[in-house]
């Protein structure tokens, strides 16, 4: 149902998130060129028109590997083991005076449905002593290493289980990740407030995703779910009812990435998606949360702030190019 409505989602999601996504794409290419010294698709014969994006990605990977091979002095990519004078050479490394060591200082800007597994990359970067198979669990225990993939209790959020139960942040990552009083685990879906941005600018990292794909994934997860969790109104409804449901969801979800990054709104926009079925879709008068979500359209101001903040990120990746992003 979601895939058949992709064109509808494209038009219903705000252009602000689309602009932010392409800005992230451009910034990532710029970082690639700066680090490799080679522009994507510099050799036309290796970039056939039929698949220029994939060819460009392959060339970036190739040139990056060549550049790394010829610069052994910077093979050490993590912060661990760096001396105090060289600790700041990497923007997400900082000298910890209390522990007298160089360590990672990372602010993970985690947008919902943009790749929780990215947290494993950050965790291994911050602490190389983690078990090799340590990863953000799916909470199903369905992978080869079932213990690593299982979550404690009734938790269904992999990053939360990872940083609170499996590898407690205070033991494995002391003073490494951005957290807040209300969100004490690094993978929380937090907006960036002004004070947090001032403290952590230059250390933010994040994956961004095509707005259409992100909203479709969120709708599939939070609304459609399984037959057991499917809202009663959708179980035996006709096409028209389902379309109205989808339109309303798209309306409250538009501009989520821009809103979270700009931080200029008085509530976290992901609440509109988390509580869509019980607090918005079933509210015939659209009061309370429903009214607040529908009236919180992303503005030109929020887009301007979001794009400016994006320039201060230490790392920007794209969910659609996860492997290439993590390699960079």
């Amino acid at each position: 149902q979601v895939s058949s409505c992709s064109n509808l989602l494209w038009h219903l999601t705000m252009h602000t998130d689309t602009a932010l996504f392409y800005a992230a794409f451009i910034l990532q290419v710029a970082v690639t060129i700066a680090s490799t010294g080679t522009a994507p698709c510099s050799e036309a014969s290796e970039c056939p028109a039929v698949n220029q994006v994939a060819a460009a990605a392959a060339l970036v990977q190739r040139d990056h590997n060549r550049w790394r091979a010829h610069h052994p002095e910077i093979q050490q990519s993590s912060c661990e083991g760096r001396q105090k004078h060289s600790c700041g050479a990497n923007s997400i490394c900082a000298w910890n005076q209390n522990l007298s060591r160089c360590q990672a200082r990372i602010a993970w800007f985690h947008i919902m449905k943009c790749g929780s597994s990215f947290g494993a990359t950050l965790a291994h970067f911050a602490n190389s002593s983690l078990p090799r198979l340590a990863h953000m669990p799916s909470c199903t225990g369905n992978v080869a290493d079932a213990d690593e993939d299982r979550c404690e209790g009734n938790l269904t959020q992999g990053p939360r289980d990872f940083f609170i139960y499996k590898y407690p942040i205070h033991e494995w990552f002391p003073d490494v990740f951005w957290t807040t009083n209300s969100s004490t685990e690094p993978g929380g879906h937090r907006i960036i407030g002004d004070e947090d941005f001032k403290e952590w600018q230059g250390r933010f990292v994040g994956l961004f995703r095509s707005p259409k794909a992100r909203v479709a994934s969120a709708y599939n997860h939070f609304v459609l779910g399984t037959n057991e969790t499917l809202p009663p109104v959708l179980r035996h409804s006709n096409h028209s009812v389902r379309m109205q449901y989808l339109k309303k969801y798209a309306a409250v979800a538009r501009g989520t990435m821009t809103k979270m990054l700009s931080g200029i709104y008085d509530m976290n926009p992901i609440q509109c998606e988390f509580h869509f079925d019980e607090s918005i879709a079933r509210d015939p008068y659209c009061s309370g949360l429903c009214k607040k979500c529908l009236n919180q359209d992303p503005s030109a101001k929020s887009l301007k702030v979001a794009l400016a903040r994006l320039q201060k990120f230490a790392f920007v990746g794209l969910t659609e190019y996860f492997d290439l992003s993590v390699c960079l």
Side-chain angles (χ1 to χ4, degrees):
Q1 294 143 327
V2 172
S3 60
S4 66
C5 302
S6 60
N7 289 332
L8 177 63
L9 282 170
W10 175 257
H11 292 292
L12 289 176
T13 51
M14 287 295 288
H15 292 298
T16 48
D17 267 5
T18 305
L20 188 64
F21 170 73
Y22 283 110
F25 180 83
I26 293 170
L27 184 59
Q28 187 192 53
V29 172
V31 171
T32 301
I33 296 173
S35 62
T36 64
T38 304
C41 281
S42 61
E43 300 175 34
S45 61
E46 297 184 38
C47 297
V50 67
N51 196 356
Q52 290 185 350
V53 174
L59 283 175
V60 170
Q61 175 71 68
R62 182 206 64 184
D63 291 328
H64 186 67
N65 291 341
R66 289 177 180 175
W67 182 77
R68 297 289 291 182
H70 286 86
H71 293 78
E73 72 277 7
I74 57 144
Q75 285 298 317
Q76 180 187 12
S77 59
S78 70
C79 306
E80 298 170 336
R82 289 176 181 261
Q83 298 301 309
K84 188 174 183 179
H85 69 274
S86 62
C87 184
N90 188 320
S91 63
I92 55 175
C93 296
W95 187 259
N96 188 314
Q97 294 288 359
N98 295 327
L99 300 176
S100 297
R101 71 184 186 191
C102 184
Q103 65 178 47
R105 286 282 286 168
I106 302 172
W108 180 14
F109 178 56
H110 184 198
I111 306 166
M112 187 168 62
K113 310 309 294 181
C114 286
S116 295
S117 55
F118 181 53
T121 300
L122 302 178
H124 282 277
F125 176 87
N127 190 335
S128 61
S129 67
L130 280 174
R132 186 175 63 87
L133 294 179
H135 63 276
M136 301 296 111
S138 68
C139 300
T140 62
N142 288 334
V143 299
D145 191 338
D147 289 337
E148 277 290 343
D149 213 43
R150 189 174 292 113
C151 293
E152 297 288 337
N154 295 319
L155 288 179
T156 58
Q157 295 294 317
R160 179 174 174 80
D161 183 87
F162 183 94
F163 287 110
I164 290 181
Y165 294 102
K166 284 188 170 61
Y167 306 100
I169 185 173
H170 63 278
E171 295 178 13
W172 291 83
F173 312 99
D175 200 29
V176 170
F177 287 102
W178 168 43
T179 59
T180 64
N181 291 334
S182 59
S183 181
T184 57
E185 58 94 0
H189 304 296
R190 291 183 291 274
I191 61 174
I192 303 179
D194 289 340
E195 293 303 315
D196 287 328
F197 183 73
K198 290 177 182 177
E199 179 181 354
W200 290 90
Q201 66 174 313
R203 304 187 191 280
F204 280 100
V205 300
L207 291 182
F208 293 79
R209 188 176 185 179
S210 162
K212 178 175 65 173
R214 194 204 69 80
V215 173
S217 178
Y219 183 78
N220 183 59
H221 180 79
F222 290 107
V223 178
L224 297 185
T226 64
N227 288 332
E228 291 75 21
T229 60
L230 187 69
V233 68
L234 295 182
R235 290 178 186 172
H236 306 290
S237 61
N238 57 35
H239 180 74
S240 176
V241 172
R242 290 173 179 261
M243 286 300 98
Q244 290 302 317
Y245 219 77
L246 177 59
K247 288 179 180 179
K248 198 168 187 178
Y249 187 88
V252 303
R254 58 190 174 188
T256 294
M257 292 188 290
T258 300
K259 296 173 187 175
M260 291 180 67
L261 183 51
S262 68
I264 66 175
Y265 297 90
D266 60 357
M267 67 170 283
N268 192 329
I270 65 169
Q271 297 302 319
C272 302
E273 300 181 46
F274 276 145
H275 305 294
F276 175 77
D277 183 55
E278 70 271 22
S279 300
I280 299 177
R282 300 185 188 184
D283 183 353
Y285 303 105
C286 197
S287 58
L289 182 64
C290 177
K291 183 176 181 180
K292 202 168 188 178
C293 290
L294 289 177
N295 289 339
Q296 191 174 288
D297 281 345
S299 63
K301 178 183 177 181
S302 65
L303 177 59
K304 183 178 180 180
V305 173
L307 290 173
R309 287 184 170 182
L310 191 67
Q311 302 300 317
K312 302 293 185 180
F313 269 52
F315 171 84
V316 171
L318 301 176
T319 306
E320 285 82 355
Y321 298 96
F322 185 88
D323 290 348
L324 178 61
S325 297
V326 170
C327 170
L328 292 175

